[in-house]
């Protein structure tokens, strides 16, 4: 039996940009947010599965940095529970500050900057 080795967590359906090319239905309908307890429960359930490969957790959105306190608490919880977890945060970069980058770096979180679309869209 194969068990998943990747957990993708969408912290919200909100974003501070409204890119026409975005494949996620952000900023549409009612705002939806995951709270810290929901994310911790998801991480704990994920970690209870048998480990067959290195485990990864991806934080996406909307824009995950809009939920900084939830993101930070989730990373700290996951690191305490399983120090070898690999993390990636997919972001548009607008919410990156020196202190946030320092935290992400200290906790070995890969930061993936999303810039998609055609040249005219991005310029």
């Amino acid at each position: 039996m194969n068990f998943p080795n990747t957990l993708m967590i969408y912290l919200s359906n909100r974003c501070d940009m409204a890119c026409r090319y975005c494949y996620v239905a952000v900023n549409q309908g009612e705002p939806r947010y995951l709270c810290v307890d929901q994310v911790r429960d998801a991480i704990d359930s994920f970690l209870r599965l048998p480990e067959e490969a290195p485990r990864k957790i991806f934080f996406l959105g909307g824009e995950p940095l809009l939920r900084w306190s939830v993101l930070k608490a989730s990373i700290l919880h996951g690191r305490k529970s399983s120090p070898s977890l690999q993390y990636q945060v997919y972001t548009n970069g607008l919410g990156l500050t020196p202190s946030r980058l320092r935290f992400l770096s200290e906790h070995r979180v890969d930061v993936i900057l999303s810039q998609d679309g055609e040249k005219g869209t991005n310029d």
Side-chain angles (χ1 to χ4, degrees):
M1 174 179 263
N2 291 331
F3 292 95
N5 71 330
T6 303
L7 175 63
M8 300 179 87
I9 300 174
Y10 288 78
L11 294 178
S12 79
N13 64 346
R14 302 287 105 179
C15 183
D16 49 354
M17 296 182 74
C19 303
R20 294 180 304 200
Y21 56 82
C22 187
Y23 67 93
V24 180
V26 296
N27 302 331
Q28 297 177 18
E30 292 295 318
R32 294 186 179 198
Y33 306 100
L34 292 179
C35 69
V36 172
D37 290 338
Q38 290 171 308
V39 178
R40 284 182 184 159
D41 288 348
I43 291 171
D44 291 345
S45 294
F46 177 62
L47 292 176
R48 282 194 292 273
L49 295 172
E51 186 172 354
E52 295 182 355
R55 295 177 190 224
K56 304 171 197 159
I57 296 180
F58 298 165
F59 292 98
L60 307 108
E63 172 53 51
L65 296 181
L66 293 177
R67 304 289 291 159
W68 177 251
S69 62
V70 174
L71 176 63
K72 184 176 178 180
S74 301
I75 291 167
L76 291 172
H77 175 75
R79 276 282 171 250
K80 183 175 69 173
S81 302
S82 177
S84 64
L85 275 174
Q86 298 174 18
Y87 290 102
Q88 290 185 349
V89 173
Y90 289 78
T91 177
N92 61 32
L94 294 179
L96 288 174
T97 63
S99 64
R100 288 178 176 183
L101 279 170
R102 194 169 25 262
F103 173 86
L104 295 169
S105 177
E106 288 170 358
H107 293 279
R108 301 179 324 276
V109 178
D110 293 328
V111 177
I112 311 300
L113 291 175
S114 175
Q115 185 180 24
D116 302 321
E118 299 173 359
K119 183 176 178 6
T121 304
N122 288 312
D123 291 346

